[in-house]
Each structure stands twice: as structure tokens, then as C-alpha cells.
Amino acid sequence: MAIDKLDLSQVEQFKKHGFTVLRHAFDGEAVAQFDAWATDLVQQPEVSGRQWVYRDPSLLDPQERIITRIERISPFHQGFESLTLALKPLVEQLLGEPAALFKEKINFKFPGADGFKPHQDAQAGWNNYADFFVSALVCFDEATAANGCLQIVDNYEHKGLARLWEPLTESDLAGMHWVDLPTQPGDIIFFDSYVPHASQPNMTDGMRRIYYATYNRASAGELMERYYADKHEGFPPDIDRDPSKRYVFRV
């Protein structure tokens, strides 16, 4: 894998604005591997206790449930484990200390996949585990405004956490300047757990896949197993769901 260090200006941008972008971090060979790994995940049979697969109704055909997210991948996939290890030194530059993997996922935006309302990642109860996280977004397919690339606030002031478990309100969003961050395969966007972000649905005829690895300061502990054990209680993968219960994704 071809991957560079962040330069001082990128580290400073992250500290000031909550995000920074590293273009062309991975070469074409690595991107081809990512494509093969992600394709393999979709084709694997779903097995309780392995990677977590989530489906949602398609906006194009509500009767069709399409894969929108696969989580908890690297414990069962050497390729994705190697990717988490490749990203870790870059995240450590931003944290200023050793990092520990907190969670990971691929957001799949097949045609008809919905987007995400404006939110802070920390609103999903992350502060129960640690007070600060850095996510590394790795682009697998070209991400554009049309197919739902990341949208982020570029004038964010660190004012802490809004309300837990609900998207940001119009009042919260007042004064925020939103920008699209289109990416090419192999690009990385780093952002912290407080900077507001969102994405739009994919109503094109092509797929958009993005991998997210989120890290906490290692000094806060190894938290991944605890996080996923807690999440399984309230929002398990499809294969582990009780058909008599209703599960709602909130943030």
C-alpha cells in the first residue's frame, strides 16, 4: 500500500476545523484490493458472530432491502485488519499519542441507498467510552455530490456535544457553512467525533462504498469489544434480530 504521512498544514487544519484530507494516499493496486475485499464481504453468507450486515429499504423500490452497512470486519478479515494498521500511524499524528481501534464499517450506497442527516458522531453515545475520537474515511469508489459524498462543516467551532441520540436541529445548524468533499478511490478524509457531517442519498445508477475506521486514544483503553457488545444489545445486525422487536437507527 502506498500511504504518506500527514504534513504540518494538514495536522493544523484538523486541529482548527475538525477535519483534513489526504489525497492519493493509496495507489491503484491497493484500491483494487479494497474493491475485492468489499465485494467478498457482500458475497459471504451471513453468520451470527462474524461481521455485522445491515440492510435498509431502497428508496427506488421500498420492497427491496439493500445492504447499507457492514461493521466489525477486521477481527474476521486479514485484509481489513491490515488497513486498520496502515491508517493507525496517521491517526496517531492527529491524536498526538498512540491510538486504539474503536469501531469500523463500510457504508454501502448502492443505487437507492439513503443518506445521513447532519450529526456529530459523538451523539451516538460515544462519550460513554472516551471523550475524543478520530475517524479515517477511505474512499473505495468515486464519491460525488450526486452519489452521496461526505458533506462537512468547514467553519466548525468546537462547542462540544449537542443532544445525544438525535440529529442536529435547524437551530444547531445556524451559521454553519457546509461543503461537499468529493473523493477519488484511495483518498482519505480524517475527521473528529464532534465536527458536524452528513451525506445525501445515492440516486445514480452506480455504487459508492466508503470505509470508516474510528480510533480513540490508547490511553483511554481498548474499547472495541465493549462498544460492540453494548451496540448488540440495542441495534444488532440483521441476522441476530428478534422479529418481534422494532429496531430504529437514530444517529
Side-chain angles (χ1 to χ4, degrees):
M1 294 183 184
I3 191 166
D4 296 319
K5 290 183 178 181
L6 297 169
D7 61 36
L8 182 60
S9 65
Q10 290 168 318
V11 175
E12 289 303 312
Q13 182 193 20
F14 178 85
K15 290 179 179 178
K16 183 176 181 180
H17 296 292
F19 74 95
T20 194
V21 183
L22 179 59
R23 303 288 182 185
H24 314 299
F26 294 103
D27 60 21
E29 181 180 355
V31 169
Q33 286 183 313
F34 302 157
D35 174 74
W37 297 344
T39 300
D40 176 58
L41 283 180
V42 170
Q43 294 174 346
Q44 286 182 18
E46 292 175 52
V47 178
S48 180
R50 291 185 63 83
Q51 65 266 14
W52 293 6
V53 181
Y54 293 88
R55 290 179 171 80
D56 291 292
S58 168
L59 298 179
L60 298 174
D61 179 3
Q63 301 303 312
E64 180 185 8
R65 291 182 60 83
I66 55 177
I67 292 176
T68 51
R69 190 165 69 262
I70 298 181
E71 295 201 28
R72 195 170 171 258
I73 305 165
S74 62
F76 315 105
H77 195 290
Q78 289 186 345
F80 282 103
E81 181 184 24
S82 70
L83 179 52
T84 68
L85 294 174
L87 294 168
K88 188 176 176 182
L90 300 175
V91 172
E92 290 175 340
Q93 283 187 261
L94 301 174
L95 287 174
E97 65 173 83
L101 184 65
F102 176 64
K103 62 170 293 183
E104 53 163 348
K105 64 179 179 177
I106 300 174
N107 276 355
F108 289 83
K109 281 195 179 179
F110 289 98
D114 203 354
F116 291 89
K117 295 178 181 179
H119 66 281
Q120 299 168 295
D121 281 341
Q123 289 180 285
W126 290 10
N127 284 25
N128 291 331
Y129 306 93
D131 62 358
F132 190 76
F133 300 86
V134 176
S135 291
L137 173 166
V138 182
C139 182
F140 286 7
D141 306 295
E142 182 181 18
T144 66
N147 69 15
C149 68
L150 185 74
Q151 299 173 306
I152 204 162
V153 171
D154 70 355
N155 65 339
Y156 176 62
E157 297 179 4
H158 286 265
K159 297 179 180 178
L161 179 64
R163 291 153 313 285
L164 288 170
W165 299 114
E166 58 182 90
L168 297 170
T169 65
E170 288 297 324
S171 175
D172 295 326
L173 299 174
M176 293 184 184
H177 181 246
W178 287 83
V179 295
D180 290 333
L181 282 184
T183 47
Q184 293 294 320
D187 291 349
I188 309 174
I189 301 174
F190 300 89
F191 58 99
D192 71 31
S193 48
Y194 294 98
V195 64
H197 57 284
S199 69
Q200 298 300 313
N202 178 13
M203 303 304 284
T204 72
D205 59 2
M207 179 168 56
R208 191 232 68 177
R209 299 164 298 178
I210 286 178
Y211 176 79
Y212 293 82
T214 299
Y215 301 80
N216 58 269
R217 297 183 178 100
S219 57
E222 296 286 342
L223 304 170
M224 185 172 173
E225 288 304 313
R226 177 183 154 204
Y227 167 78
Y228 277 119
D230 291 345
K231 183 168 184 174
H232 196 278
E233 291 293 317
F235 201 71
D238 289 7
I239 195 170
D240 290 339
R241 293 192 172 187
D242 181 340
S244 67
K245 293 183 178 181
R246 181 171 180 263
Y247 300 90
V248 178
F249 179 82
R250 292 180 286 175
V251 176

